[in-house]
Amino acid sequence: MFRTSAAVFAVCVGASAPLAAQDAERLFEALRLDDVVEVMRGEGIVAGEALEADLFPGRGGPLWDRVVRDIYDRSEMIEVVHDRFGKAIPEASVAPLIGFFESETGQRLVELEIAARRAMIDEAVEDAAAESARDATAARRDLIRDFIEANDLIEQNVTGALNSNLAFYRGLLDGEAPIGGLSQDQVIADVYASEPQVREDTVDWLEGYLTLAYAPVDDMALQQYLDLSRSDVGQDLNTAIFAAFDELYDDISYDLGRAAARFMSGQDL
């Protein structure tokens, strides 16, 4: 699970809330998607530092840091994810998913996923995780790769990364950044020319991340998770999670591009 608004539940107050809304809320909490958003925010703040170093070194400082933190507003992000997840998850799939993710095994898996993703914000941890993935037993490598395939994680994440990169460049163009007069067609071509490298990086990151996350889990528990992922309800969950996060990534990337354009061109801020 990689990549929710109070508005969708705003009319459902207290004990009068429809059961479907209450159950979707339980699932949201069991998956700890608010904590996933918090980790995503941490990743974004670190990425913002890299953007400054690449695009306008030494000209961002505390002001750029504040802009990035405002774009990655935790409350707004949780509201968006909450809303989109609640709308995307089929009602019939919620109960069996709650059964799994509120169980001891389900909660342990969620905790491990969040902890591993938080740890991998550190590049040294990411490198070590990639090395561990290469050194894992054949049985564990097969389970990890089957899990990646069952959840379509490579294609979903590659597509999401390319779309986010495109949104960032659209933000730069709309913000009139000094990027050598590149047209939108040229930007699109450049972004999609990066697909092979994005794919390679995605595979390495996913295998390292999942190897790190599930290292404390035995093969039986991981097989159980894989079986859930292959089921109809597991596929529904995967679709809903990507629906919840993908547009959010694109919106944030666009806003970062617009903001970076101002710093690159020296506009008044």
Side-chain angles (χ1 to χ4, degrees), residues 2-78:
F2 310 111
R3 306 223 238 198
T4 305
S5 162
V8 75
F9 300 112
V11 296
C12 309
V13 181
S16 62
L19 183 60
Q22 292 176 340
D23 285 349
E25 179 70 19
R26 277 180 64 187
L27 180 57
F28 183 89
E29 292 176 359
L31 293 167
R32 292 178 54 185
L33 293 183
D34 54 345
D35 289 329
V36 175
V37 167
E38 184 63 38
V39 175
M40 174 185 167
R41 182 174 184 270
E43 293 169 343
I45 289 170
V46 172
E49 296 170 358
L51 280 178
E52 178 184 355
D54 290 342
L55 298 178
F56 43 93
R59 300 206 306 273
L63 181 56
W64 172 248
D65 181 64
R66 185 165 68 250
V67 167
V68 171
R69 289 175 183 274
D70 286 345
I71 290 172
Y72 281 95
D73 181 272
R74 182 181 186 275
S75 296
E76 291 182 8
M77 291 168 66
I78 290 176

Side-chain angles (χ1 to χ4, degrees), residues 88-237:
I89 188 70
E91 181 178 341
S93 297
V94 172
L97 289 168
I98 287 174
F100 180 83
F101 286 104
E102 286 188 348
S103 71
E104 183 178 351
T105 296
Q107 283 295 288
R108 177 65 169 151
L109 288 164
V110 169
E111 169 63 32
L112 291 170
E113 289 170 351
I114 292 170
R117 184 158 176 177
R118 185 179 290 118
M120 284 184 63
I121 295 175
D122 185 330
E123 287 187 12
V125 175
E126 181 178 343
D127 291 342
E131 184 67 25
S132 294
R134 289 188 287 270
D135 293 340
T137 65
R140 180 50 61 108
R141 285 199 307 271
D142 287 344
L143 275 172
I144 293 294
R145 289 170 180 171
D146 286 347
F147 185 85
I148 290 171
E149 181 180 0
N151 290 286
D152 197 25
L153 295 182
I154 294 173
E155 295 306 322
Q156 293 273 20
N157 280 283
V158 169
T159 299
L162 295 176
N163 287 340
S164 292
N165 290 344
L166 185 57
F168 177 78
Y169 280 106
R170 281 196 298 103
L172 286 179
L173 291 173
D174 290 350
E176 300 181 347
I179 53 176
L182 284 176
S183 68
Q184 184 152 321
D185 287 344
Q186 290 172 310
V187 166
I188 292 171
D190 286 348
V191 167
Y192 285 97
S194 70
E195 190 271 347
Q197 186 61 55
V198 170
R199 181 176 296 275
E200 181 179 339
D201 292 344
T202 297
V203 171
D204 288 345
W205 190 92
L206 283 169
E207 291 186 352
Y209 163 65
L210 295 175
T211 300
L212 174 63
Y214 303 143
V217 176
D218 63 31
D219 287 353
M220 184 178 300
L222 188 51
Q223 182 65 54
Q224 184 181 1
Y225 200 12
L226 175 58
D227 292 341
L228 176 75
S229 297
R230 286 170 168 163
S231 70
D232 289 343
V233 297
Q235 292 296 300
D236 287 342
L237 174 63

